[in-house]
Amino acid sequence: MSDTAATKEANATPAVTDPTTTPGGKKLTNKELKELKKQEEAAKRSAKKQASGISVEQQQAQAQAKRDKKQHQREKQQQELKKKETQQQKLLNNKNVKKTSLFSHLETTEERRATLLAIGSALNSPRAARITASGLMVPVVASALSGAKVYTTSNLAHNVAQTTAITSTPTETGSENNTVDLAKSLASLSLENNDVNVVPGVSSIIPDALKKSLDSPELVSNIKELLVNKDFIHPVISQLTFNLAIYKIVGSIPRCIAMLEAFQIVIKDYKTPKGTTLSRNLTNYLSHQIDLLKRARPLSVTMGNAIRWLKQEISHIDPSTADNEAKLDLVEKIGLFAKEKIELADQLIIKNASNQIEDKSTIVTFGSSKVLTELILHNTRVLKKDLEVIVVDSRPLFEGKKMATILRENGVKVIYTLITSLDTVFNMGVDYVFLGAHSILSNGFLYSRAGTAMIAMSAKRRNIPVLVCCESLKFSQRVQLDSVTYNELADPNDLVPIDYESPMERRSSKGILLKQFVKERHEHNIKLEKENAPKGNKQQQQQQQKNKHNKDSQGKSEDSTAKDTDNEQSENVLDDWQKLASLNIVNILYDLTPPEYINKVITEFGALPPSSVPVILREYKGSA
Amino acid sequence: MSAQSMPSLVSNNHPTAVTEIEVSIDSFIAKLKRKQISGSYIIALETLQLLKRFISAVRWSNVNELIAQIRELGNRLEKANPTAFGCGNVIKRILAVLRDEIEEDMRETMAGQGNNDTNNNTNNNNGLTPAEPLISSMFNLLQKPEQNSQDFYESRAKTKTDFRQVVIQAIKDLIDEIKNIDDGIQQIAVDLIHDHEILLTPTPESKTVLKFLIRARERANRTFTVLVTEGFPNNTQNAHDFAKKLAEHDIETIIIPDSAVFALMSRVGKVIIGTKTVFINGGSIVSSAGVSSVCECAREFKTPVFAVAGLYKLSPLYPFNVEKFVEFGGSQHILPRMDPRNRLDTINKITDYVPPENIDIYITNIGGFAPSFIYRIAWDNYKQIDVHLDGKQK
């Protein structure tokens, strides 16, 4: 009997504790009824207990104790609930930067992109350029990625009044407050204003998730450091950085060449500040450029080696030489270096490797390699060998397609296939496997495009010789034992969009950020409406009108974007994969091939076993 | 084609019933040819349903004719799609049950005769020999004349046992077995995963693997990570669906491109593959390209590979010519429209053959077995005489 009363009490209490949520007379009467009933029951109980010999005081004391206990329990429960909520909140916050447990030590593309956006906006927009550290919240401004898109000030004035829900790190001094506001309004421009048309590919579309990845303190300090030195950064370098970041320039050799060319321009434009010499200051100046380059993608081994060489060269310059002379000398040396280490080396490698290829043989290659393409063309066109080439390729970069097309256009017999058909490929009477390299490590491991190791392994198991063509510029001092410890993570979104019916047709991930942004916007608007609902009548009306207006325009824009996306691609199963906490996509770029799978490394110094890499590094370091 | 291939005896007796069953057989064959039904589970079940109707419709004078007609049907289905092994497998199993029953029946009648007629001693001996498994002893092989049942039933039309009922019961049992296959597999397989293990599965289209992983998460409450390869280009949708389902069941799931398998294999604790068919040598066909390479990687890293397979996927065939069993798809999935002058040759594998040396264990609904033992399980369920349905019955 008492139990039922207690539960009833418990049922009734929430209504009492928060009366604001249940306005209206009807409910109140219900409550009253319940209370009346309770009182009645309590009276009955007390009568019963009295009959059984317990006094009224004792009863009251008992009841009090019970009530206290209940209250206590309730408080506890509420506390627990709150705890849970905060925990969930924390989890949610953590989720914004999605990282797999396996690769949490590596920098994700989101982080890289966020950094680049922050720096890019600071570098390329004159307005935002004045803002330093807290200018991180200004990733709105169009960057070099897509050509400038400048917002007019009239738009700005209209928007400055609007408050935004963006949190910023207030490290700004008073004198610069104005610019901060400006920055904020700039940031809000793309997120809040519907009149600004949303163009895919323009970097002003930034989903919240991306912005939140800027929250990690390390990243912010990194960016701050870069921004402090941003005046030193040469425009050629920032251009190159973005080209690298969007994979416009890929492959370790092309990246290295592009960097050397940029450095030539940088050195030409360099002016030694007063009170110091070129040989001392230029290295320092170049380090700033390199810091920015590192933000695009981790430096390739070739780039690292070239930079090391360049710094050495600079330090060798006699301080007494005139600046102009030294600069010209350096530029010339860089040109020579590129020619010697890459062009001439490639020619030697081709000459060397051609001796290994017999007439009428079948060759398997993986991905795309500049030197291998040239090697095969040399053998078929100059040496008139009858070769059949099987180009194995892999998702998501499909680099092999480029190589296959070039070879085919030059009349080489080409079979193009994907790595899933590897088993069949090796049943076709393959004579050699030729592989390109990103780098060869000091312990003989080959660090190359993901998938290389699998091909080398399969070939080795079938006793097919595996040869690697690699300039000595790619030799690295580093040692590494497996592919997980050090690697480069590419954008996981590259693996999401796929037309299941014809998988090769569309594979750009450009739409994904836009979609994410549209979705977030939509949610944000709904939230706003909800928040605004309980406010005053007048305000509400205004808001409603505004909302209506917003909705109209938004509806239009959304419709158009929806149509665009519908036309472009069908629904992908994984479109909102970021929302599933336990789902991850890993897109690693490189893997490590153990030396026992490699029969020969062909370099400009001749053909060697992979174990000889450290020897070359040691013996030829002076010249390298 | 169908009218010619059917025994004339049947078509004479019951034209209406026969035409009706003919129609459904033809439509099933058409579906098989066009690959409109896929997945060995569905194919096996549909074949059994068809066989059930066929048995009810068909007429025969003695049981040997029944066997001949079932073989005929099986042969037609196998020819329709040589890589849909499910059809052949279930029909061969039904045949095996039927043959066992015939032997039993024959022995009983013989024994009855023996009691009646004491003079018939020689025959009696033969009949009383217990039905040994086929390959248990050389002596029995010599002693038991195969022709016996044939001659025996040709001489008399009436038999003790109602074989139609026997076959239909066998079909029902087999359907039951196929439908409940997952439970048996899961119970064994759960014991093979430890907490916080990283698993890799290159066969995201396998329902058995999916159910097994979800069960391991929910019932056994293990936390583990599953790496799913994409299977580009033919299987990517399956992979995405699979990963999403796993993630929704709170299993840590990571999608990786096919090229990253080697890079991550050093972290993988076990590789789980679903199979399409298991051959008698312990090798298997899987319905996703690239699995053989994955298993090779696993072998290289000494990572255990276990295959999950229902008993009905066991095939009594031997893969002498693997290329015959592996399917290839069109080029449109690998190469987009191209300049006709510069066309490229391409290979698009749909299924893959994994040799027995790259698989460590098979988990079936009746237990786990090493690949080298699979032949034994096969001969428990199939008769040697029915391995090839196209040949003349001896």
Side-chain angles (χ1 to χ4, degrees):
Chain A
M1 184 73 200
S2 63
D3 273 340
T4 53
T7 50
K8 262 183 191 169
E9 195 183 11
N11 283 340
T13 39
V16 181
T17 47
D18 46 281
T20 46
T21 52
T22 53
K26 225 182 179 180
K27 294 232 166 162
L28 269 173
T29 56
N30 269 344
K31 232 188 291 166
E32 277 171 358
L33 268 175
K34 266 185 191 168
E35 229 139 74
L36 277 175
K37 262 189 191 169
K38 234 192 315 182
Q39 278 170 5
E40 259 174 54
E41 271 165 7
K44 271 185 198 167
R45 246 182 294 150
S46 68
K48 252 189 195 171
K49 279 179 186 167
Q50 233 169 6
S52 61
I54 305 165
S55 71
V56 188
E57 285 79 29
Q58 271 173 326
Q59 275 180 40
Q60 274 174 349
Q62 272 180 353
Q64 187 63 38
K66 253 188 200 170
R67 240 172 281 148
D68 282 354
K69 217 176 164 185
K70 278 269 146 60
Q71 187 71 29
H72 198 66
Q73 276 180 347
R74 224 173 288 139
E75 275 170 14
K76 251 191 182 172
Q77 275 179 348
Q78 274 176 350
Q79 273 177 349
E80 270 168 29
L81 267 177
K82 263 187 190 170
K83 252 189 204 170
K84 265 187 193 170
E85 266 173 28
T86 45
Q87 270 176 353
Q88 275 177 342
Q89 205 81 44
K90 267 185 194 170
L91 270 176
L92 276 173
N93 282 339
N94 285 343
K95 247 188 279 170
N96 288 327
V97 186
K98 264 209 145 185
K99 280 193 170 185
T100 31
S101 48
L102 261 175
F103 288 99
S104 49
H105 56 286
L106 297 174
E107 193 187 28
T108 62
T109 336
E110 265 94 40
E111 287 167 344
R112 275 210 298 270
R113 198 180 284 150
T115 324
L116 273 180
L117 277 170
I119 300 167
S121 58
L123 282 178
N124 295 301
S125 144
R127 211 174 274 284
R130 257 177 279 137
I131 304 147
T132 51
S134 72
L136 291 187
M137 292 305 140
V138 204
V140 132
V141 188
S143 71
L145 276 173
S146 55
K149 179 175 172 65
V150 183
Y151 299 107
T152 55
T153 36
S154 63
N155 239 341
L156 271 178
H158 175 68
N159 271 286
V160 166
Q162 237 178 11
T163 50
T164 58
I166 296 162
T167 52
S168 68
T169 45
T171 55
E172 216 35 56
T173 50
S175 60
E176 278 174 316
N177 262 343
N178 266 336
T179 43
V180 175
D181 280 347
L182 208 68
K184 273 188 191 169
S185 59
L186 260 173
S188 65
L189 201 69
S190 67
L191 298 170
E192 294 297 311
N193 194 344
N194 291 306
D195 299 331
V196 178
N197 47 346
V198 179
V199 186
V202 172
S203 60
S204 58
I205 304 155
I206 299 146
D208 277 344
L210 197 66
K211 260 199 315 184
K212 273 171 194 153
S213 60
L214 268 174
D215 285 350
S216 84
E218 292 168 53
L219 207 64
V220 171
S221 67
N222 262 341
I223 297 167
K224 270 184 198 167
E225 206 173 293
L226 270 169
L227 284 177
V228 168
N229 297 323
K230 73 170 176 359
D231 289 337
F232 295 119
I233 286 161
H234 197 280
V236 175
I237 296 293
S238 59
Q239 185 64 44
L240 176 64
T241 309
F242 288 112
N243 279 340
L244 290 176
I246 58 172
Y247 295 93
K248 203 171 166 186
I249 302 173
V250 280
S252 58
I253 289 289
R255 271 159 77 191
C256 182
I257 293 174
M259 184 194 70
L260 287 175
E261 278 170 1
F263 278 170
Q264 279 183 328
I265 299 170
V266 171
I267 290 172
K268 266 183 205 161
D269 291 353
Y270 170 78
K271 281 197 183 82
T272 320
K274 273 176 193 170
T276 168
T277 56
L278 182 133
S279 57
R280 280 195 200 139
N281 190 267
L282 184 58
T283 329
N284 197 10
Y285 179 71
L286 282 180
S287 321
H288 292 308
Q289 323 293 331
I290 294 158
D291 277 347
L292 182 64
L293 278 181
K294 270 186 198 160
R295 294 287 117 208
R297 277 174 72 183
L299 289 184
S300 73
V301 172
T302 48
M303 288 158 93
N305 282 342
I307 288 168
R308 201 172 308 125
W309 166 84
L310 184 61
K311 283 187 175 171
Q312 212 176 356
E313 284 300 315
I314 293 171
S315 68
H316 284 324
I317 292 172
D318 187 4
S320 59
T321 16
D323 271 11
N324 264 342
E325 199 180 313
K327 270 159 51 180
L328 275 179
D329 195 33
L330 265 181
V331 169
E332 199 180 318
K333 267 187 183 161
I334 290 174
L336 270 177
F337 178 83
K339 189 155 191 185
E340 185 194 330
K341 287 287 164 193
I342 295 164
E343 263 179 59
L344 294 178
D346 278 0
Q347 279 174 23
L348 275 173
I349 288 171
I350 288 168
K351 208 175 139 195
N352 211 326
S354 296
N355 296 332
Q356 317 283 343
I357 302 174
E358 275 179 29
D359 195 13
K360 296 200 171 77
S361 50
T362 310
I363 295 171
V364 169
T365 71
F366 178 68
S368 172
S369 160
K370 200 168 142 269
V371 63
L372 285 183
T373 316
E374 282 167 17
L375 169 70
I376 290 161
L377 287 180
H378 177 76
N379 272 283
T380 49
R381 302 182 82 183
V382 181
L383 302 176
K384 303 282 177 213
K385 285 180 193 168
D386 181 22
L387 299 181
E388 188 170 4
V389 182
I390 304 175
V391 178
V392 183
D393 207 356
S394 75
R395 200 151 118 91
L397 288 171
F398 296 112
E399 293 163 296
K401 209 182 274 175
K402 194 174 76 189
M403 181 165 172
T405 321
I406 294 173
L407 291 179
R408 187 72 197 86
E409 277 165 1
N410 284 289
V412 184
K413 269 184 268 171
V414 179
I415 295 178
Y416 174 87
T417 184
L418 294 170
I419 199 163
T420 43
S421 305
L422 202 60
D423 195 42
T424 317
V425 167
F426 281 115
N427 285 335
M428 292 169 77
V430 175
D431 296 303
Y432 314 100
V433 174
F434 271 90
L435 297 172
H438 175 91
S439 126
I440 294 188
L441 307 182
S442 183
N443 53 346
F445 279 66
L446 169 70
Y447 185 75
S448 191
R449 182 68 68 234
T452 310
M454 203 163 171
I455 291 183
M457 178 211 68
S458 300
K460 187 67 192 172
R461 282 176 72 99
R462 290 164 176 80
N463 287 326
I464 298 165
V466 178
L467 299 103
V468 177
C469 290
C470 172
E471 298 89 349
S472 68
L473 183 64
K474 288 176 174 173
F475 287 6
S476 165
Q477 296 274 7
R478 211 153 41 87
V479 287
Q480 192 182 338
L481 286 171
D482 69 37
S483 326
V484 181
T485 47
Y486 178 83
N487 214 314
E488 189 181 332
L489 290 179
D491 192 354
N493 286 328
D494 286 346
L495 291 177
V496 175
I498 171 173
D499 185 351
Y500 296 119
E501 288 308 310
S502 48
M504 292 307 272
E505 288 294 312
R506 268 191 50 80
R507 48 166 217 275
S508 89
S509 60
K510 264 180 194 150
I512 277 204
L513 283 183
L514 173 68
K515 268 191 199 166
Q516 210 178 338
F517 171 74
V518 169
K519 220 177 264 174
E520 273 171 13
R521 248 198 78 67
H522 190 64
E523 278 162 19
H524 185 70
N525 274 1
I526 290 172
K527 221 201 228 159
L528 265 185
E529 269 170 51
K530 268 186 193 164
E531 276 171 12
N532 290 335
K535 277 182 190 168
N537 271 342
K538 213 177 175 185
Q539 243 182 326
Q540 228 169 5
Q541 272 178 355
Q542 277 180 346
Q543 282 290 342
Q544 268 176 354
Q545 272 181 347
K546 255 193 189 172
N547 278 346
K548 231 183 187 177
H549 182 70
N550 280 358
K551 260 186 205 163
D552 284 348
S553 52
Q554 185 199 334
K556 268 177 208 165
S557 66
E558 244 176 308
D559 272 354
S560 59
T561 48
K563 262 180 205 165
D564 282 352
T565 47
D566 271 358
N567 283 340
E568 277 176 27
Q569 68 190 85
S570 51
E571 274 292 294
N572 281 306
V573 183
L574 294 179
D575 270 346
D576 47 359
W577 67 275
Q578 313 224 340
K579 285 203 178 132
L580 281 167
S582 45
L583 184 62
N584 268 303
I585 300 176
V586 165
N587 184 7
I588 53 170
L589 279 183
Y590 298 103
D591 68 7
L592 217 58
T593 313
E596 58 261 31
Y597 298 149
I598 301 163
N599 295 68
K600 209 181 247 187
V601 181
I602 300 169
T603 71
E604 67 262 34
F605 298 119
L608 351 134
S611 52
S612 300
V613 171
V615 180
I616 296 283
L617 275 173
R618 203 182 159 83
E619 298 298 319
Y620 293 85
K621 211 190 167 190
S623 69
Chain B
M1 171 220 160
S2 51
Q4 284 170 352
S5 59
M6 275 309 284
S8 55
L9 186 126
V10 181
S11 41
N12 288 341
N13 279 356
H14 283 269
T16 50
V18 166
T19 46
E20 206 173 291
I21 187 72
E22 258 316 288
V23 167
S24 40
I25 289 174
D26 279 345
S27 81
F28 186 65
I29 283 177
K31 270 203 262 175
L32 277 177
K33 275 185 178 166
R34 295 173 194 146
K35 297 194 178 169
Q36 278 167 335
I37 45 173
S38 57
S40 37
Y41 177 79
I42 295 163
I43 288 181
L45 281 184
E46 291 222 355
T47 311
L48 284 174
Q49 298 293 359
L50 184 78
L51 188 62
K52 206 155 106 186
R53 292 176 58 197
F54 179 76
I55 295 295
S56 330
V58 86
R59 294 286 175 273
W60 69 86
S61 55
N62 68 49
V63 75
N64 288 320
E65 274 176 36
L66 173 65
I67 289 179
Q69 282 172 28
I70 296 176
R71 281 173 65 99
E72 174 71 33
L73 175 72
N75 190 22
R76 283 171 68 197
L77 295 184
E78 275 194 335
K79 285 245 171 72
N81 186 354
T83 53
F85 299 96
C87 306
N89 291 349
V90 289
I91 287 177
K92 285 167 195 172
R93 273 188 71 175
I94 296 297
L95 278 173
V97 174
L98 182 59
R99 282 185 198 275
D100 275 343
E101 203 63 40
I102 290 169
E103 221 164 87
E104 182 93 353
D105 176 82
M106 198 170 68
R107 216 171 341 115
E108 272 170 26
T109 14
M110 292 279 200
Q113 274 178 355
N115 286 341
N116 290 340
D117 190 5
T118 40
N119 289 338
N120 208 351
N121 271 337
T122 49
N123 215 2
N124 209 358
N125 269 348
N126 268 341
L128 278 177
T129 354
E132 296 283 332
L134 210 64
I135 342 166
S136 60
S137 157
M138 284 282 245
F139 291 112
N140 287 337
L141 270 180
L142 293 173
Q143 269 180 359
K144 207 165 73 180
E146 285 291 330
Q147 289 300 100
N148 204 342
S149 69
Q150 198 116 13
D151 299 340
F152 183 78
Y153 282 106
E154 257 156 33
S155 58
R156 63 196 78 194
K158 279 274 172 190
T159 49
K160 258 190 187 173
T161 330
D162 180 4
F163 285 113
R164 194 190 300 272
Q165 214 45 54
V166 166
V167 174
I168 286 178
Q169 192 51 47
I171 291 173
K172 277 181 185 161
D173 288 349
L174 193 50
I175 290 177
D176 261 8
E177 186 200 305
I178 292 174
K179 280 186 173 163
N180 295 321
I181 229 138
D182 292 326
D183 289 335
I185 292 176
Q186 283 158 7
Q187 259 150 20
I188 309 161
V190 162
D191 295 336
L192 293 165
I193 296 181
H194 66 70
D195 217 5
H196 297 295
E197 189 159 23
I198 296 178
L199 304 168
L200 185 143
T201 176
T203 54
E205 73 289 336
S206 167
K207 301 270 184 306
T208 317
V209 173
L210 178 72
K211 279 184 201 155
F212 157 69
L213 289 174
I214 290 173
R215 189 182 159 118
R217 175 79 189 96
E218 285 179 347
R219 302 271 178 83
N221 207 17
R222 308 265 156 87
T223 48
F224 49 85
T225 307
V226 182
L227 303 177
V228 184
T229 63
E230 273 193 311
F232 189 83
N234 301 309
N235 234 345
T236 320
Q237 182 166 23
N238 289 331
H240 286 179
D241 285 334
F242 183 84
K244 201 171 182 186
K245 270 178 208 152
L246 285 185
E248 277 162 2
H249 282 90
D250 199 25
I251 298 169
E252 181 86 24
T253 313
I254 304 175
I255 298 175
I256 56 168
D258 304 290
S259 50
V261 169
F262 190 95
L264 293 170
M265 191 54 89
S266 57
R267 296 291 180 279
V268 173
K270 274 173 196 91
V271 176
I272 306 180
I273 61 173
T275 54
K276 197 175 162 219
T277 315
V278 180
F279 292 119
I280 204 145
N281 69 339
S284 66
I285 292 277
V286 288
S287 52
S288 176
V291 178
S292 63
S293 305
V294 173
C295 291
E296 229 177 293
C297 275
R299 172 62 52 216
E300 203 66 23
F301 280 90
K302 305 272 188 297
T303 308
V305 177
F306 67 91
V308 289
L311 203 56
Y312 68 98
K313 289 181 175 173
L314 216 65
S315 164
L317 298 170
Y318 192 97
F320 287 110
N321 185 3
V322 173
E323 301 288 314
K324 204 174 95 186
F325 293 127
V326 174
E327 289 172 71
F328 290 90
S331 66
Q332 77 276 12
H333 286 330
I334 289 192
L335 290 168
R337 274 159 273 148
M338 285 196 106
D339 185 358
R341 282 163 299 158
N342 283 329
R343 272 192 198 134
L344 294 165
D345 291 334
T346 185
I347 307 162
N348 180 16
K349 239 182 179 183
I350 292 178
T351 60
D352 216 341
Y353 171 74
V354 185
E357 60 266 25
N358 287 346
I359 295 174
D360 287 84
I361 36 167
Y362 280 99
I363 308 290
T364 70
N365 46 322
I366 56 163
F369 305 103
S372 55
F373 193 68
I374 287 293
Y375 80 98
R376 205 67 183 74
I377 312 297
W379 296 134
D380 282 349
N381 293 290
Y382 299 104
K383 292 271 181 260
Q384 201 106 52
I385 197 173
D386 293 321
V387 169
H388 297 289
L389 295 177
D390 48 354
K392 271 268 167 200
Q393 194 183 355
K394 277 171 205 162

